Each structure stands twice: as C-alpha cells, then as structure tokens.
Amino acid sequence: MSVRVIRTKDELRAALRPRRAAGETIGLVPTMGYLHDGHLALIRAARERCDVVVMSLFVNPTQFREGEDLESYPRDEARDVELAEGAGADFVYAPSVEEVYPEGFATWVEVGGGLTDVLCGDPGRRGPEHFRGVTTVVAKLFNTVDPDVSFFGQKDAQQAIVIQRMARDLDFRTEIVTVPTVREPDGLAMSSRNTYLSPADRERAPALYRALSAAREAVEGGAGLDAALADARRVLAEAGIEPEYLEARYADDLTPAAAFDGGRPVLVAVAARVGAARLIDNVVLGPPPGAGTPAE
Ligand code: PAF
C-alpha cells in the first residue's frame, strides 16, 4: 500500500478509526522532516512493532527561539514522503501551522522537575520554552493519533526523557520507545542540521562523538566522571571546539552526576556550535567494570 499524506486532525482520526476498531496497533513517529537514516530507523522500528505507522511531519514553530533557525530549517516534503514510504510508513501527517495552532491558541504543556531548565533547556541556551514547545506539540500528536507506541531518537536524549515524564504524568497510554542514535561512518550523529556544516566544519564535527567515546573509554578504564569529562574536553579542544555544555547527569532525572551512584546510568551529553550548526550528542555510561553492569 502506498503512503497517504493527511493534512487535518479530523481526516487522520477518520483514517485511523477503522484500523483501531479492527484491533490493529498504531505506531507514531514524530518528525520535523528532512529525513535522514536516523528518522528511517524510527520508522522501521515502528514498522516492526506496529500494524499501522503514522509519521508526523511538522516544523514546530513553538520550539524555536527568536533568532533560531525556524525560517532556514531544511524542508523537502516530496522527498520526505518518498523516504517515509520506503521505510514503511502508512500515513504522513503533515498539518499546516494553523491546523496545529488555531487562532487564539493559549494552552501549553510544561514539564518541570528540573528536566527542562538544564542542558539544552538552560535559559542561556534554548531555554525551557524549547521543551514547552516540544511537549505541547507532542501532547497534541498523542491526542490526535492515540498511538500504542511512539518512537523517539536517543540523539535527543533530554527530549526523550522529558516526553517520557510527560506521558507518565499526564497518563498518555502510549508506550515510549527510544531508538539508538544512527551515525555516519566517522561517528557524527545524523541530524537534519548537519546540512548547515561547511566541508571544513563537517571534518571537525565528528570530534563530538570522539570526545564522548574518550569519556566512555576513560570510565571503562576505571577513571571517575571528572577525569572522563576532562578527556572529552581535550578531544574537543584539539578540534577547536568550545562546547556549549559537556556534562554528566543521571539519565533518569538529569541531576548532576559526580559518581556512579548505586549503578545508576549516567548521561554524558554535549552541545557545541560547529560553524553554522549547533550540534548535540550523548552517550549513556554504566559504572566502571567490577562496580556494576554497563547501561548501554
Ligand atoms: O525531535 C524532533 O524532531 C521534534 O522535536 C519533535 C519531537 C518532532 C517535536 O516537534
């Protein structure tokens, strides 16, 4: 069956109703388009788990700050639809801004608990408003699609954690699945924003993952988190990259991690501007050998 492009909530609900009534399970893959292999991995994971796969394609204006790349964010719907179909999507939900945010829109979904004002949510960076935009649009998608399973990428680890918390706190019935980061052969995490990299910056960009890998190796060699972060910082400096942040935080609640406390997995997350692109990446580390079981 070929993919069907749908523009309105009513049309999408009408299309899904008989499928749900027939007992079929529905998978949701939210995206902002300009698909790469990371998105396709999400669609394929949904295809494996669910009878019906809905990919949303919407560049959500409320998660961009003034001065960010909303206008220049890459867009190519025809290409996205073709790629989504190839990866196994049944429906592409591509609403207009007015369909999602009608005149007078005034309701927001905000996750607290210290999850949205750290790392990318720090007010000096993208700010908690970024996550407020994400959770609001994702909550609306959950309400429209009512998915059994929803799929998000591990590259946006903080986003996945925030959405997990929202789904739990607001009793959305969907299961949230986090799919491993897909990387270029040189380790660079796939991202639609990689298109902003000049050839010279593209050469420097894999340093983010090299830095995270250095931290992982240090921990595996028995080093503490501070020493591991110092190693990572050195790798970034060698590539001339000054991180916006490079931090170790517990992966369950994003509080700062100074040590492996009771075997809790630690998220080592980095964000850095490399030329015109702001890139993020992360690894999840377990305690050093002999002190517990590695997390990833
Ligand atoms: O990860 C993204 O592409 C976006 O933040 C999402 C989840 C589609 C919400 O707009």
Side-chain angles (χ1 to χ4, degrees):
M1 196 180 92
S2 65
V3 74
R4 183 169 153 204
V5 179
I6 292 190
R7 306 277 172 200
T8 68
K9 300 183 267 290
D10 288 350
E11 208 191 332
L12 183 58
R13 285 192 173 120
L16 295 177
R17 203 170 295 124
R19 310 291 296 263
R20 190 174 293 106
E24 293 185 282
T25 55
I26 297 173
L28 170 67
V29 178
T31 81
M32 297 207 301
Y34 215 70
L35 303 189
H36 50 68
D37 284 353
H39 296 112
L40 302 185
L42 301 180
I43 298 172
R44 290 191 192 107
R47 182 74 279 156
E48 272 182 25
R49 278 286 306 275
C50 303
D51 300 314
V52 181
V53 176
V54 180
M55 183 194 90
S56 65
L57 195 179
F58 179 65
V59 181
N60 175 36
T62 65
Q63 68 188 75
F64 290 78
R65 252 190 173 174
E66 197 69 32
E68 285 189 345
D69 56 343
L70 174 60
E71 302 310 326
S72 56
Y73 197 83
R75 293 165 168 87
D76 189 341
E77 184 181 302
R79 174 181 168 276
D80 287 343
V81 170
E82 203 180 307
L83 288 172
E85 177 169 58
D90 300 301
F91 298 100
V92 171
Y93 176 48
S96 65
V97 173
E98 296 71 32
E99 177 71 10
V100 178
Y101 298 111
E103 186 65 30
F105 184 88
T107 306
W108 299 97
V109 177
E110 249 178 62
V111 173
L115 297 183
T116 56
D117 57 359
V118 298
L119 302 175
C120 286
D122 183 290
R125 298 170 189 149
R126 303 198 75 185
E129 302 79 11
H130 163 68
F131 289 107
R132 186 181 81 154
V134 170
T135 43
T136 300
V137 81
V138 170
K140 286 171 69 73
L141 288 168
F142 286 172
N143 279 329
T144 304
V145 176
D146 188 19
D148 295 276
V149 194
S150 304
F151 297 83
F152 295 88
Q154 172 64 25
K155 186 184 77 78
D156 297 300
Q158 186 177 13
Q159 169 174 281
I161 290 165
V162 168
I163 289 169
Q164 289 269 12
R165 185 69 67 89
M166 173 190 78
R168 191 204 71 178
D169 288 357
L170 295 185
D171 305 322
F172 284 108
R173 71 176 190 92
T174 185
E175 178 190 341
I176 310 280
V177 168
T178 307
V179 175
T181 303
V182 178
R183 300 182 179 280
E184 301 285 357
D186 60 10
L188 177 65
M190 293 208 180
S191 162
S192 306
R193 290 188 167 98
N194 290 351
T195 54
Y196 301 158
L197 293 165
S198 69
D201 291 330
R202 174 65 188 79
E203 295 225 328
R204 290 196 303 143
L208 266 71
Y209 185 57
R210 282 205 307 276
L212 295 170
S213 304
R216 181 202 295 279
E217 279 159 30
V219 166
E220 284 171 358
L225 285 171
D226 280 351
L229 289 180
D231 283 1
R233 222 172 279 284
R234 256 193 304 278
V235 173
L236 291 173
E238 277 161 22
I241 295 173
E242 171 70 35
E244 205 176 84
Y245 63 76
L246 171 66
E247 293 183 31
R249 290 181 175 266
Y250 291 112
D252 50 1
D253 63 6
L254 295 184
T255 53
F260 287 98
D261 165 19
R264 285 164 85 192
V266 170
L267 177 75
V268 178
V270 63
R273 201 159 271 288
V274 181
R278 180 182 182 278
L279 304 178
I280 59 172
D281 202 350
N282 67 85
V283 289
V284 179
L285 304 180
T293 319
E296 210 185 40

